[in-house]
Amino acid sequence: MSRLTRWVLVLSLLAVWWLPAPPARADTSPLIDVVIDRFTPLIPREGGTLRIGGRLVNGSPATLNDVTVRLHLSSVRITDGAQIDEVLGSAFDSPWSDNEDYILDWSSVEVADQLEAGSQESFSFEIPLRDLPFGQPGTYVVSIEAQSARDGVEGRAGLTRTFLPWFPTTTAEVPVIRLAWMWPLSDQPARTADGTLLDDRTPTAISPGGRLHQLVTIGSEYPGALTWVIDPALLQTAVQISDGYRVVHDGQVMVGDRAPQAATWLDMLRRAVASSTSRAIAYAAIDADAVRRADMPNDVVRSVTIAEPIASAALGEPVRGGFYWAPAGFIDRSTANLLASSGTSVIIRSTTEGASATASANGVASVGTPSGNLDVIEGDPRLAQTLAMPQRTSSEILLARQRFLAETALLAQNAGGPVTIVAAPPDIRWSPSRRFISPLLRATAEAPWMEPTTLESLLGGPRVASGLPAYGTPERRSELPPEYLLKVRRAQDRLGRLASVLEDPGAVIPPFSLALLRAESSAWRTDLSTGEALLRSIGMGLTTQANLVRVLSSGTVTFSGDAGRVPVTIANDGDQQVTVGLTLIATPTTRLVAETVQGIVIEPGRKVSLDVNARVIGGEPLDVRVQLLTPSGERYGSAGTISVVSTAYARVASWVVLAAFAALAVFVLVGVVQRVRRARQETRGLSE
């Protein structure tokens, strides 16, 4: 190391030693959790009182002194959805807006001289609405800030932000948006071909306190404010439960005990649907993108076409179908083309936010496809995101509620003319809290910036040209996996073979066919193990049906020559006539030549015996499978096994041995004769 390098190193170390240590990183976590338990009224009006109440919870390990809570109001209304995101995404110790003049320190309340670790104290504000500092109608930000003193320093210890839509009745003209609620009823269709439920999920959901019971109860209270969007597979299951059902518990099939609850739920739904708009979506909410990609487009079309009659039969009145609810609001363009060719409309996620919609927006658009225009119901993405917000606590419910009101108020504020917005949750198996969703439905009818509308009104209005939301790698990865759907296709092939041998396939095939559609449900995207269990149960049921027609032959068949007849007996233990074929398959195949017999008709409960002509090559015993065939020549069911032996080769072998022995005897005799002659000649020579 050179002298210069050594001096540079020494000076650098001295500089580091003399530099002051960097300040410790400030803790950006709030010391106090600000919990809002009350925010009334739902729709603020002049002359009323704004009441906000909640709790301050000390989540720090230390005692906090001089705890107060402050109410801040924004003096300027929010103008776009990005500002809502900024409000919700801002850290508690930073302002949501760079302009601090927007924030008014409106009121403060002393909460506690000391707030010990883990303890909480209540707070409340009551403000006459006429005193609010808002100018124009619109959406404003409300901030609840907790302050405390720690180590002699006062500062912000916690913060929660929410929204307050302000549309006083004295406003000359309140802008109004039409809001169309899509109210989905669907569940995991875990029902086998024989009707056994793989779990208690659906019976629990339709019982009092369950998810589906709550959705029907709430929806029936607002008959004109929503459109029922119903999965016919769910209705089928509910009808079956009401008639008595079996369910798997801990691996054992048991008799279910919720039939009365299912009957009550169906009665509630029938009354609710009678006074509202309803539509049936594709059967079992099939994963159309994955199924089409697996080369089963007919299943997609069939799931849509059978929805209407199944739903109508279950509800006892006509229910229109022709709808598909795209999982999470996304659909592949090729799938959209397939649905357009079958005249199906699709509920998707809008490609644009409602706040930027044109004045002619109607909530329904037209997407051009090679098969014609496809009607798409465009759910607003921001409302969908809000409907999926956490609703575990009173505070989360209030914050989600206020955001929904703020989003809709902002849409009205920015609407340049009549606009229809669609509120559709991102998950068709939606589970909202009653305390969250009931106020929103009430607000839809009462808020001065909203009025309810229905799907029928949407479809009766004009269309605007639109596109489809981008369908990329994340959306494809969320589909049912190809290897899973390959198992579905194999089960369908087995079902087709079963149908081909039956005199009356309609008496057996439909339950299996519908069960396979249920196995293609989008529900298994997030619960593939249950889908696999459903497929296994279908496979076992198909095996049981196929084995009703079986080969009884076994043992050993001996041919007296190289050819003969193989006696075969086939039993039909089923309850209808079957037509099958028969072939013999040897191992190895080159040692057997046999005829294939077709058109074997067997009455139910009867047996048929026949002889199959065959020829065996070789003398060793030959293992032969007696295989049933479909009328088209495909293998059907399990094969019987026999052994075939030919005695012809044993006789041939005996003659070969005898001939060889005779040849050997002749050879020996010739040798003996030659020796005798040779000996005589030698004796004759000596005598001479």
Side-chain angles (χ1 to χ4, degrees):
M1 182 183 296
S2 66
R3 179 179 298 177
L4 177 60
T5 303
R6 286 197 298 271
W7 275 108
V8 169
L9 179 60
V10 170
L11 291 174
S12 299
L13 291 173
L14 288 173
V16 171
W17 185 73
W18 281 104
L19 285 174
R25 181 180 179 272
D27 186 4
T28 58
S29 301
L31 301 174
I32 294 177
D33 294 323
V34 181
V35 179
I36 302 177
D37 294 325
R38 183 183 187 190
F39 199 109
T40 59
L42 177 66
I43 309 299
R45 302 181 186 276
E46 286 186 335
T49 301
L50 177 64
R51 293 181 173 88
I52 303 174
R55 293 165 287 131
L56 302 184
V57 182
N58 183 1
S60 74
T63 297
L64 301 177
N65 301 317
D66 301 328
V67 177
T68 61
V69 62
R70 292 181 174 275
L71 173 66
H72 301 289
L73 303 174
S74 63
S75 60
V76 177
R77 64 181 184 174
I78 289 177
T79 58
D80 57 49
Q83 287 185 314
I84 289 181
D85 295 336
E86 290 172 5
V87 170
L88 297 176
S90 298
F92 92 99
D93 58 347
S94 63
W96 68 269
S97 173
D98 293 334
N99 191 340
E100 288 290 352
D101 292 337
Y102 286 0
I103 310 301
L104 300 177
D105 188 356
W106 191 254
S107 181
S108 64
V109 175
E110 294 183 2
V111 175
D113 294 335
Q114 287 188 328
L115 189 62
E116 297 181 355
S119 62
Q120 58 183 327
E121 290 288 345
S122 300
F123 70 86
S124 65
F125 293 97
E126 293 192 5
I127 305 170
L129 290 170
R130 62 176 178 272
D131 294 341
L132 292 177
F134 306 143
Q136 296 175 296
T139 299
Y140 295 83
V141 179
V142 176
S143 302
I144 309 295
E145 176 188 357
Q147 292 188 334
S148 70
R150 186 180 181 190
D151 299 328
V153 178
E154 293 187 1
R156 178 180 293 174
L159 181 71
T160 291
R161 298 182 178 95
T162 188
F163 306 96
L164 177 65
W166 176 242
F167 287 77
T169 55
T170 55
T171 305
E173 184 176 349
V174 177
V176 176
I177 61 169
R178 296 184 295 266
L179 189 64
W181 279 95
M182 300 293 107
W183 201 255
L185 294 178
S186 184
D187 202 20
Q188 289 189 346
R191 183 163 57 91
T192 67
D194 67 358
T196 301
L197 301 182
L198 296 181
D199 54 47
D200 224 357
R201 177 186 178 111
T202 299
T204 300
I206 62 180
S207 298
R211 179 182 68 86
L212 292 168
H213 189 279
Q214 178 172 268
L215 283 172
V216 172
T217 301
I218 296 171
S220 62
E221 295 171 356
Y222 302 91
L226 51 84
T227 297
W228 299 91
V229 186
I230 309 172
D231 182 351
L234 169 62
L235 297 179
Q236 248 186 357
T237 299
V239 169
Q240 179 180 318
I241 294 173
S242 68
D243 291 336
Y245 67 104
R246 294 174 300 165
V247 61
V248 177
H249 278 296
D250 298 327
Q252 301 294 321
V253 178
M254 305 177 64
V255 176
D257 59 359
R258 295 180 183 263
Q261 290 88 333
T264 299
W265 183 81
L266 283 168
D267 288 341
M268 291 170 51
L269 180 59
R270 289 170 182 139
R271 289 194 297 270
V273 168
S275 58
S276 302
T277 301
S278 61
R279 284 298 179 100
I281 59 170
Y283 185 86
I286 191 173
D287 190 345
D289 291 300
V291 173
R292 178 202 57 79
R293 210 180 304 281
D295 199 25
M296 295 186 287
N298 290 340
D299 285 10
V300 176
V301 175
R302 190 161 65 91
S303 70
V304 175
T305 56
I306 67 174
E308 184 171 313
I310 290 176
S312 298
L315 293 179
E317 65 175 58
V319 179
R320 295 185 61 185
F323 263 80
Y324 177 71
W325 188 303
F330 293 92
I331 189 171
D332 181 84
R333 178 161 289 278
S334 296
T335 306
N337 181 40
L338 172 63
L339 293 170
S341 68
S342 62
T344 304
S345 300
V346 182
I347 300 174
I348 65 168
R349 171 179 177 160
S350 176
T351 55
T352 59
E353 294 180 9
S356 60
T358 64
S360 60
N362 191 45
V364 61
S366 180
V367 175
T369 76
S371 300
N373 290 333
L374 173 70
D375 278 348
V376 293
I377 310 301
E378 297 186 312
D380 185 81
R382 296 191 63 85
L383 294 187
Q385 182 183 12
T386 305
L387 293 174
M389 287 179 67
Q391 301 165 29
R392 297 161 298 189
T393 65
S394 297
S395 185
E396 288 181 342
I397 290 171
L398 282 171
L399 294 177
R401 184 195 79 184
Q402 292 305 120
R403 178 181 176 179
F404 186 93
L405 296 175
E407 294 279 6
T408 54
L410 185 61
L411 294 174
Q413 173 185 313
N414 293 335
V419 173
T420 299
I421 305 298
V422 176
D427 185 0
I428 196 173
R429 286 160 283 276
W430 186 38
S431 182
S433 164
R434 181 183 181 91
R435 290 182 296 162
F436 167 66
I437 200 64
S438 288
L440 299 188
L441 290 173
R442 181 159 58 90
T444 303
E446 296 180 1
W449 65 88
M450 282 190 287
E451 64 180 27
T453 190
T454 65
L455 179 63
E456 298 304 323
S457 297
L458 264 67
L459 296 176
R463 308 290 194 271
V464 293
S466 182
L468 295 173
Y471 200 90
T473 300
E475 286 73 34
R476 287 197 60 169
R477 286 177 177 171
S478 68
E479 296 174 4
L480 291 175
E483 57 272 16
Y484 171 83
L485 289 173
L486 179 59
K487 298 176 184 177
V488 176
R489 289 192 63 181
R490 289 171 177 167
Q492 288 181 336
D493 291 341
R494 294 181 62 191
L495 183 61
R497 292 193 290 272
L498 173 62
S500 69
V501 306
L502 297 175
E503 180 185 33
D504 181 17
V508 175
I509 300 305
F512 285 99
S513 181
L514 289 176
L516 284 171
L517 281 183
R518 294 193 290 272
E520 299 169 30
S521 172
S522 61
W524 314 132
R525 284 186 170 195
T526 55
D527 188 8
L528 194 60
S529 61
T530 302
E532 294 274 11
L534 178 57
L535 268 180
R536 286 193 298 271
S537 74
I538 295 171
M540 290 187 291
L542 289 173
T543 298
T544 299
Q545 286 291 326
N547 288 343
L548 292 176
V549 184
R550 55 198 174 91
V551 175
L552 299 179
S553 303
S554 61
T556 301
V557 177
T558 302
F559 290 174
S560 59
D562 65 343
R565 292 185 174 184
V566 178
V568 176
T569 300
I570 308 171
N572 176 11
D573 297 332
D575 56 5
Q576 63 172 288
Q577 177 181 297
V578 298
T579 302
V580 296
L582 182 70
T583 190
L584 303 180
I585 304 171
T587 305
T589 58
T590 54
R591 289 192 55 200
L592 180 72
V593 177
E595 68 173 333
T596 296
V597 183
Q598 280 288 11
I600 306 169
V601 178
I602 313 173
E603 297 294 328
R606 304 296 294 273
K607 298 180 179 66
V608 168
S609 296
L610 66 155
D611 294 329
V612 180
N613 295 322
R615 184 168 65 88
V616 175
I617 301 172
E620 294 296 322
L622 181 63
D623 290 333
V624 175
R625 285 180 292 132
V626 184
Q627 179 65 62
L628 296 177
L629 302 174
T630 67
S632 62
E634 297 179 278
R635 295 183 184 183
Y636 178 80
S638 302
T641 303
I642 61 173
S643 179
V644 177
V645 178
S646 172
T647 61
Y649 291 93
R651 290 197 300 272
V652 169
S654 298
W655 282 107
V656 169
V657 171
L658 182 60
F661 178 78
L664 180 61
V666 171
F667 179 77
V668 171
L669 181 60
V670 170
V672 170
V673 171
Q674 288 177 345
R675 288 193 192 96
V676 170
R677 287 179 179 177
R678 200 177 293 117
R680 287 177 179 177
Q681 290 175 354
E682 289 176 354
T683 303
R684 192 179 297 123
L686 289 174
S687 64
E688 292 177 354

